[in-house]
Amino acid sequence: MNTTSQSIAAMTIEELQERCVQLEKLCMQLEQQNAELTAKLNWFMEQFRLSKKRQFGVSSERTEPLPEQLLLFNEAEVEARPEEREPDLETITYQRRKGRTRREMNLEDLPVEVVEHRLPEEEQVCPACGGPLHEMSTEVRQELKIIPAQVKVVKHVRYVYSCRRCEKEEISTPVVTAPMPAPVLPGSPVSPSLLAYIMTQKYGVGLPLYRQEQQFKGLGIDLSRQTMANWVLHGANTWLTHIYDRLHEHLLTRDILHADETTLQVLQEPGREATTKSYLWLYRTGREGPSIVLYDYQTTRAGKHPCRFLKGFKGYLHVDGYDGYNGLAEVTLVGCWAHARRKFDEALKALPEDKRNKPVAAREGLEYCNRLFAIERELKDKTPEERHHLRQVRSKPVLDEFLTWLKKQKAQVLPKSAFGRAVYYCLDQWDKLVAFLQDGRLELDNNRSERSIKPFVIGRKNWLFANTPRGAKASAITYSIIETAKENGLNPFQYLIYLFEKLPNLDLEDKDALDELLPWSKTLPHVCRMDN
């Protein structure tokens, strides 16, 4: 008998029972520890798969059909009956004019320069019989010709007049000076067109000033980026800010808005490290025009900033789920179903590849979201009143069913798993997610604001950061004017030229005069419009 056996034999029944209890507790602890480690492992594997998907996979959130759904696309093969006799067919042949391509249609709006290629008169002789040739037909080839940017000096010569009679007979001689428009920046060679060009290149195309500096050198002009930066700051903070403020006043009179925010790095903020994140907030109008898109630079993501910017606004605000908007008074927050759907899509992508095409819970949640979006697509062309009514009939039952499903899943899901985060997000945001039922003008998602903030995000990849808070404010103002111009069908370059020509010669306290310069004004010249 070994030592362990002797030890057990020597133990009393009470000691054996106590030992069994200890072993049971140890087994339970080990099982719990194993479950926790397994959950952590699954979480890390989810994050690993999502990371690989973001790095190497496609960014599309398209829902892949289940295998049984694929049969719908293979209906011809499934339903084919090779053994059955084909019905008699009547063959009909016809010809039709080949439709023009999109490229050819676009060329019609461009100015045309015609270059004719003819035979010299002495060569218009038949090579066979020597008789005269006549024009039988023509062959046409179209090309796109590029005219590079050109720079020229415009000299403003202002004439001064006096009276010769008064010069001879009077003690004082009146002097009359010809009127001349005020410059956009006194004492500087910058013109409205040059300033508009620099701004649209930087904020409309994402071309940083140092690259523009190189371009101007190629045109024979030594124009430093520091000089251009000073011009941009002056143009935005001196002139465009008046249009921005007037747009802000009009924005607050609407009752449906969208909001979003993204990061911005500003190097020289007082009392802050250069690497500290600042934020650019976006506020824009909804589906009802005319459109207004405004950006607001702030140092933090605190909820006080939307409260300040939207002071006086009453109505509905589309948001993405960030709780910084919760402090807005007399405002109903409308959630984003695109964000809710994205979380279920990520939960599906976080699964092992062999489980993604199975009817798992993550796919079921994704399908609920897809049903809502499918309904919205069908209601796209309805009036707000019709859309509101049909949402009560069609969307609300789907929402009620989805909520019941979410509550059931919550009781059996790990909160920190990808699927758990999707479930908890929907439940936490539920009041906001169902708010779109209240008004037919509301939208199912906040994609409108995401599309509007995208130009800034793309531009940020090129110029990376702002140098000072003054520069960040100027960027926010200029982006606002350019993007609002685009939304209203204007050519940003031509529109900025017009603003810089008019604003220095305008009473800036006259709101009616400012309104005539807004992007939807009927008094804007035709050259400002995209279809000119």
Side-chain angles (χ1 to χ4, degrees), residues 362-375:
R363 179 176 290 276
E364 194 173 352
L366 189 62
E367 289 300 329
Y368 276 112
C369 299
N370 289 343
R371 287 165 64 185
L372 292 172
F373 278 100
I375 294 171

Side-chain angles (χ1 to χ4, degrees), residues 313-419:
F313 167 70
K314 299 177 182 178
Y316 298 96
L317 181 66
H318 288 270
V319 294
D320 292 346
Y322 172 51
D323 57 10
Y325 299 100
N326 292 343
L328 292 168
E330 299 185 83
V331 173
T332 300
L333 300 181
V334 184
C336 177
W337 276 98
H339 276 68
R341 184 190 182 282
R342 188 172 302 143
K343 292 188 180 298
F344 284 106
D345 181 72
E346 289 181 351
L348 194 61
K349 292 174 180 176
L351 293 173
E353 194 166 350
D354 59 337
K355 293 184 179 180
R356 292 176 194 169
N357 291 327
K358 295 182 179 179
V360 292
R363 179 176 290 276
E364 194 173 352
L366 189 62
E367 289 300 329
Y368 276 112
C369 299
N370 289 343
R371 287 165 64 185
L372 292 172
F373 278 100
I375 294 171
E376 286 301 307
R377 284 192 294 271
E378 294 176 14
L379 305 183
K380 180 181 178 181
D381 297 325
K382 301 293 184 181
T383 65
E385 293 75 18
E386 291 172 334
R387 191 179 299 114
H388 176 260
H389 170 70
L390 291 172
R391 280 173 175 172
Q392 311 304 316
V393 175
R394 300 183 58 186
S395 300
K396 192 174 184 306
V398 177
L399 290 168
D400 294 339
E401 183 182 341
F402 188 32
L403 180 60
T404 302
W405 181 85
L406 287 170
K407 290 179 178 179
K408 178 182 177 182
Q409 298 300 321
K410 181 182 178 181
Q412 54 194 27
V413 73
L414 294 174
K416 292 185 178 181
S417 65
F419 177 60

Side-chain angles (χ1 to χ4, degrees), residues 210-424:
Y210 78 90
R211 293 183 187 170
Q212 294 192 51
E213 181 181 24
Q214 296 170 357
Q215 282 190 345
F216 281 116
K217 282 184 179 179
L219 295 172
I221 303 172
D222 189 11
L223 189 56
S224 71
R225 70 194 74 173
Q226 290 79 14
T227 299
M228 288 188 284
N230 291 334
W231 290 350
V232 168
L233 291 176
H234 177 81
N237 295 328
T238 303
W239 303 121
L240 297 185
T241 185
H242 298 284
I243 301 296
Y244 178 92
D245 291 341
R246 191 65 183 134
L247 289 172
H248 187 192
E249 292 175 6
H250 282 283
L251 182 84
L252 298 178
T253 63
R254 305 293 183 88
D255 61 346
I256 296 178
L257 297 179
H258 294 247
D260 201 358
E261 68 286 332
T262 189
T263 57
L264 167 67
Q265 186 178 358
V266 181
L267 299 183
Q268 299 180 28
E269 288 177 320
R272 308 183 81 201
E273 296 289 336
T275 55
T276 305
K277 286 183 180 180
S278 297
Y279 285 85
L280 195 76
W281 297 72
L282 166 75
Y283 307 92
R284 64 151 300 149
T285 52
R287 68 171 85 217
E288 294 184 329
S291 298
I292 301 174
V293 182
L294 297 182
Y295 301 87
D296 181 41
Y297 154 70
Q298 295 296 339
T299 54
T300 67
R301 203 187 182 196
K304 63 182 180 181
H305 301 307
C307 289
R308 177 196 58 80
F309 194 91
L310 296 177
K311 184 178 180 180
F313 167 70
K314 299 177 182 178
Y316 298 96
L317 181 66
H318 288 270
V319 294
D320 292 346
Y322 172 51
D323 57 10
Y325 299 100
N326 292 343
L328 292 168
E330 299 185 83
V331 173
T332 300
L333 300 181
V334 184
C336 177
W337 276 98
H339 276 68
R341 184 190 182 282
R342 188 172 302 143
K343 292 188 180 298
F344 284 106
D345 181 72
E346 289 181 351
L348 194 61
K349 292 174 180 176
L351 293 173
E353 194 166 350
D354 59 337
K355 293 184 179 180
R356 292 176 194 169
N357 291 327
K358 295 182 179 179
V360 292
R363 179 176 290 276
E364 194 173 352
L366 189 62
E367 289 300 329
Y368 276 112
C369 299
N370 289 343
R371 287 165 64 185
L372 292 172
F373 278 100
I375 294 171
E376 286 301 307
R377 284 192 294 271
E378 294 176 14
L379 305 183
K380 180 181 178 181
D381 297 325
K382 301 293 184 181
T383 65
E385 293 75 18
E386 291 172 334
R387 191 179 299 114
H388 176 260
H389 170 70
L390 291 172
R391 280 173 175 172
Q392 311 304 316
V393 175
R394 300 183 58 186
S395 300
K396 192 174 184 306
V398 177
L399 290 168
D400 294 339
E401 183 182 341
F402 188 32
L403 180 60
T404 302
W405 181 85
L406 287 170
K407 290 179 178 179
K408 178 182 177 182
Q409 298 300 321
K410 181 182 178 181
Q412 54 194 27
V413 73
L414 294 174
K416 292 185 178 181
S417 65
F419 177 60
R421 288 197 302 271
V423 171
Y424 275 79

Side-chain angles (χ1 to χ4, degrees), residues 25-39:
K25 289 182 178 179
L26 180 60
C27 288
M28 292 177 63
Q29 291 175 356
L30 291 174
E31 288 177 355
Q32 183 178 358
Q33 185 179 15
N34 182 58
E36 292 174 354
L37 291 174
T38 301

Side-chain angles (χ1 to χ4, degrees), residues 134-139:
H134 70 92
E135 294 180 357
M136 182 184 69
S137 63
T138 59
E139 295 179 0

Side-chain angles (χ1 to χ4, degrees), residues 174-188:
V175 176
V176 179
T177 305
M180 182 173 65
V184 66
L185 179 57
S188 167

Side-chain angles (χ1 to χ4, degrees), residues 19-51:
R19 182 66 180 274
C20 289
V21 171
Q22 292 175 351
L23 291 174
E24 288 178 357
K25 289 182 178 179
L26 180 60
C27 288
M28 292 177 63
Q29 291 175 356
L30 291 174
E31 288 177 355
Q32 183 178 358
Q33 185 179 15
N34 182 58
E36 292 174 354
L37 291 174
T38 301
K40 288 182 180 180
L41 176 62
N42 291 336
W43 184 84
F44 280 117
M45 290 302 298
E46 283 184 348
Q47 300 307 306
F48 174 70
R49 285 189 288 267
L50 282 176
S51 178

